[in-house]
């Protein structure tokens, strides 16, 4: 009886369309990193919607409203922890997902466009991390803001839309807040939808050593696996939120530079110590090189062992970021904006 009812619902809702074949290796952790990233993003949006009820996007009140949330609202500290750790886990799973796609050459023809969508999603996540850092308006947020303003000034007319002169009288923190809660999440949802559509359209990439796909399973079986990995992702985020409180300083002291950025941006801090203008051109240069990957590597080989140059580029890139993240973490600032 229950099975008959479920079949009726599946038919009425058109869920039979999900009963298509995909390679069995979809039900492995490396090929589920995208689903884990989507889970962390969904939790980030949901927790952000709740946080927005208590946040005041004004330079005089922003930091104070967060302290009120953490100190006086029931489980406010936990809600903010869930939001913070969702962003941290999202960063890690997104990077690991892109590494998996690169190692298995899943960006090659005909999936070039989906790689570009992934790069666009990376930019959205960077924007969310940056704006989230600024709007808490403690010393760390303030210093991130003055670096942002310095870059906008150096870009001239290109930086005008993100400068204070673009909308005189409107606090920049309010504009960044609107980007954080509307523009960037909407862009993220649209890009995730497009990303998913292109995966369905081009089908999941085969394993390099199984060009014919190997054993097949139904997509609904993969959805069940994604639910389990998603539940695990949520459990990790909830546990981290309970055990480790995210950092939150007091109202900033204007004109001072005494903090370091979050680990996602600390590599830029290290580069600034070498030469300040790297803040302007290195991040966009890296994103351009990332977007160019499927157009530079155009041969049909997909096995990582037979792509020594591509693997050398990956190793060099990882070494670069690990080195500069550690350098930025343990060195002192030698410049000032």
């Amino acid at each position: 009886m229950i099975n008959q009812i479920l079949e009726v619902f599946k038919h009425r809702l058109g869920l039979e369309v999900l009963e298509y074949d995909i390679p069995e290796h979809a039900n492995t952790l490396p090929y589920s990193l995208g689903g884990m990233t989507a889970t962390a993003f969904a939790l980030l949006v949901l927790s952000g919607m709740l946080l927005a009820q208590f946040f005041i996007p004004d330079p005089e009140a922003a930091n104070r409203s967060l302290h009120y949330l953490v100190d006086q609202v029931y489980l406010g500290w936990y809600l903010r922890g869930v939001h913070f750790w969702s962003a941290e886990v999202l960063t890690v799973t997104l990077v690991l997902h892109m590494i998996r796609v690169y190692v298995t050459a899943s960006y090659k023809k005909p999936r070039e466009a989906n790689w570009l969508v992934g790069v666009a999603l990376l930019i959205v996540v960077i924007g969310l991390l940056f704006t989230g850092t600024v709007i808490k308006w403690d010393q760390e947020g303030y210093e991130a803001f003055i670096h942002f303003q310095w870059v906008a000034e150096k870009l001239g007319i290109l930086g005008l839309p993100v400068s204070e002169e673009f909308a005189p009288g409107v606090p920049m923190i309010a504009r960044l807040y609107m980007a954080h809660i509307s523009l960037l999440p909407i862009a993220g949802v649209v890009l995730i939808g497009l990303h998913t559509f292109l995966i369905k359209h081009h089908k999941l990439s085969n394993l390099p050593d199984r060009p014919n796909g190997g054993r097949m399973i139904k997509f609904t079986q993969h959805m069940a696996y994604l639910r389990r990995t998603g539940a695990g992702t949520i459990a990790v985020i909830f546990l981290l939120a309970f055990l480790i409180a995210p950092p939150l300083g007091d109202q900033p002291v204007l004109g001072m530079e005494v903090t370091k950025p979050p680990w996602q941006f600390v590599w830029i801090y290290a580069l600034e110590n070498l030469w300040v203008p790297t803040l302007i051109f290195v991040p966009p240069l890296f994103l351009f090189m990332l977007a160019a990957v499927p157009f530079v590597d155009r041969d049909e080989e997909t096995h990582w062992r037979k792509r020594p140059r591509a693997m050398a580029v990956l190793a060099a890139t990882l070494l670069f970021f690990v080195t500069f993240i550690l350098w930025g973490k343990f060195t002192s600032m030698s410049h000032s904006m």
Side-chain angles (χ1 to χ4, degrees):
M1 182 64 177
I2 294 177
N3 288 335
Q4 290 178 331
I5 294 174
L6 291 176
E7 287 300 319
V8 169
F9 271 104
K10 285 174 62 176
H11 178 67
R12 295 297 188 271
L13 297 175
L15 297 181
E16 297 98 331
V17 72
L18 299 176
E19 294 285 347
Y20 60 90
D21 291 334
I22 61 172
E24 185 183 31
H25 64 261
N27 278 8
T28 58
L29 191 59
Y31 280 82
S32 299
L33 288 165
M36 295 165 69
T37 302
T39 299
F41 180 82
L43 193 55
L44 186 71
V45 171
L46 291 173
S47 58
M49 291 170 64
L50 295 175
L51 284 175
Q53 311 308 309
F54 302 94
F55 185 73
I56 304 173
D58 180 84
E60 298 300 321
N63 183 262
R64 189 166 62 248
S65 68
L66 285 177
H67 278 285
Y68 173 80
L69 168 74
V70 171
D71 297 333
Q72 299 188 45
V73 175
Y74 181 68
L75 289 180
W77 62 272
Y78 189 69
L79 175 61
R80 183 168 182 266
V82 168
H83 192 68
F84 174 84
W85 285 108
S86 294
E88 297 291 294
V89 170
L90 169 64
T91 306
V92 173
T93 55
L94 177 60
V95 171
L96 290 176
H97 177 60
M98 295 193 78
I99 291 174
R100 196 282 299 165
V101 171
Y102 184 89
V103 169
T104 58
S106 300
Y107 55 82
K108 293 190 175 184
K109 182 181 178 181
R111 299 179 178 86
E112 300 95 332
N114 218 10
W115 173 264
L116 295 179
V117 172
V119 174
L121 274 168
L122 176 63
I123 294 172
V124 167
V125 170
I126 291 170
L128 286 169
L129 291 170
F130 173 76
T131 53
T133 298
V134 172
I135 63 176
K136 60 192 177 80
W137 205 241
D138 56 3
Q139 194 66 36
E140 180 186 66
Y142 162 73
E143 292 181 26
F145 173 71
I146 61 174
H147 282 70
F148 176 76
Q149 288 295 89
W150 183 83
V151 171
E153 179 185 339
K154 297 301 179 183
L155 290 176
I157 192 171
L158 294 177
L160 182 62
V162 291
S163 68
E164 292 188 315
E165 290 76 19
F166 185 77
V170 179
M172 194 65 192
I173 189 174
R175 293 171 57 198
L176 292 176
Y177 174 68
M178 289 307 299
H180 187 74
I181 68 168
S182 60
L183 178 62
L184 292 170
I186 291 171
V189 170
V190 171
L191 289 170
I192 289 173
L194 179 58
H195 199 59
T196 305
F197 167 77
L198 289 174
I199 292 173
K200 171 68 170 64
H201 177 67
H202 294 300
K203 297 182 173 57
L204 191 71
S205 60
N206 294 324
L207 289 174
D209 55 354
R210 297 181 191 171
N212 296 322
R215 185 173 176 270
M216 307 297 281
I217 61 174
K218 296 297 181 182
F219 180 71
T220 47
Q221 293 176 258
H222 181 52
M223 289 179 64
Y225 185 84
L226 288 179
R227 285 195 293 271
R228 293 195 294 273
T229 56
T233 302
I234 293 172
V236 168
I237 292 170
F238 282 180
L239 181 62
L240 288 170
F242 181 76
L243 295 175
I244 308 173
L248 177 63
D250 294 323
Q251 193 82 3
V253 178
L254 305 187
M256 290 184 62
E257 287 189 60
V258 294
T259 68
K260 294 181 180 181
W263 68 271
Q264 295 94 333
F265 300 105
V266 77
W267 62 276
I268 304 176
Y269 175 94
L271 284 173
E272 285 182 78
N273 276 339
L274 294 177
W275 190 38
V276 174
T278 55
L279 179 61
I280 299 174
F281 68 84
V282 170
L285 177 62
F286 170 72
L287 290 171
F288 173 78
M289 293 171 62
L290 204 58
V293 164
F295 307 102
V296 173
D297 185 9
R298 298 184 61 84
D299 66 79
E300 296 183 358
E301 182 57 60
T302 59
H303 201 291
W304 66 271
R305 285 197 182 92
K306 300 178 181 178
R307 299 161 51 226
R309 284 183 295 182
M311 294 302 101
V313 170
L314 175 62
T317 301
L318 294 177
L319 179 62
F320 170 86
F321 279 103
V322 170
T323 299
F324 278 92
I325 286 173
L326 293 175
W327 188 2
K329 200 72 177 173
F330 297 107
T331 56
S332 301
M333 180 173 58
S334 62
H335 63 274
S336 174
M337 289 297 163

